[in-house]
Amino acid sequence: LVARLDAAGDRRGPEAFRVEQFTWAMTSVVGSCALVVTLAAVGLRIDIRAVPAFVIICFVSGFLGRDWWLGRQIEARRAQLAEELPVAIDLITLSIMAGESVPASCARVAAVMSGGIGDEFKDVVADMRAGQGATEAFEAMAHRLPHPGMARLVDSLCTAIERGAPLA
């Protein structure tokens, strides 16, 4: 769940997600009960024995609905990041070729690009400023963003940093 929340860009913990999932389930139950009461008030005959099964189905549907929505958020974020990745790579390349350091080039990408990949580079810069090495910060970003292009970028940067090869 933590990995799925990271992939969706959701900074909340799993506990908050479970509370929201339970809220979706209870909202579904309340809505189903309101529907049953409304149909009974209109005069439609409802078998009372079927109501508990209907409520359980609605609870499970609401609970699983939030999980389904998380999956949709993950797919939307992956598509956004895949779209923004080439621009970020170009910005990093130009910054490094202009003589900036790796943290400065990451900070430039974070400042220029808002949301999506810009937020991920803000996290990388924050990790480096907190004392984590550049390779570890990049590998953490690659772990949060399982995308082949991101993996290649991180591998190239980490290899160049570790071996002292020209980064550009």
Side-chain angles (χ1 to χ4, degrees):
L1 180 59
V2 172
R4 292 183 72 213
L5 288 171
D6 284 343
D10 196 341
R11 303 292 182 206
R12 298 174 301 162
E15 299 84 14
F17 176 77
R18 291 295 184 206
V19 167
E20 185 175 347
Q21 202 172 22
F22 184 75
T23 303
W24 277 46
M26 290 307 295
T27 302
S28 178
V29 166
V30 169
S32 68
C33 289
L35 178 66
V36 167
V37 168
T38 303
L39 291 176
V42 171
L44 198 66
R45 291 185 45 174
I46 298 171
D47 188 6
I48 295 298
R49 294 173 293 177
V51 172
F54 182 63
V55 168
I56 290 171
I57 290 170
C58 288
F59 182 86
V60 171
S61 297
F63 194 81
L64 295 177
R66 179 59 184 108
D67 194 62
W68 171 82
W69 186 251
L70 178 63
R72 298 284 303 201
Q73 289 174 316
I74 290 169
E75 292 304 317
R77 185 154 191 265
R78 283 183 182 161
Q80 177 189 12
L81 294 173
E83 184 178 305
E84 294 175 348
L85 185 61
V87 176
I89 291 171
D90 288 343
L91 285 172
I92 289 173
T93 303
L94 291 172
S95 297
I96 289 173
M97 288 175 66
E100 289 186 346
S101 66
V102 174
S105 65
C106 290
R108 181 171 303 278
V109 171
V112 170
M113 301 184 78
S114 61
I117 207 155
D119 291 341
E120 292 299 327
F121 275 99
K122 285 178 189 173
D123 290 344
V124 168
V125 171
D127 288 345
M128 284 190 269
R129 287 184 179 158
Q132 194 174 32
T135 56
E136 291 87 9
F138 283 125
E139 287 172 354
M141 180 175 66
H143 180 69
R144 287 190 305 267
L145 304 173
H147 185 272
M150 182 60 70
R152 283 193 299 264
L153 171 67
V154 168
D155 287 343
S156 299
L157 285 172
C158 290
T159 301
I161 290 169
E162 289 172 354
R163 294 186 182 163
L167 290 171

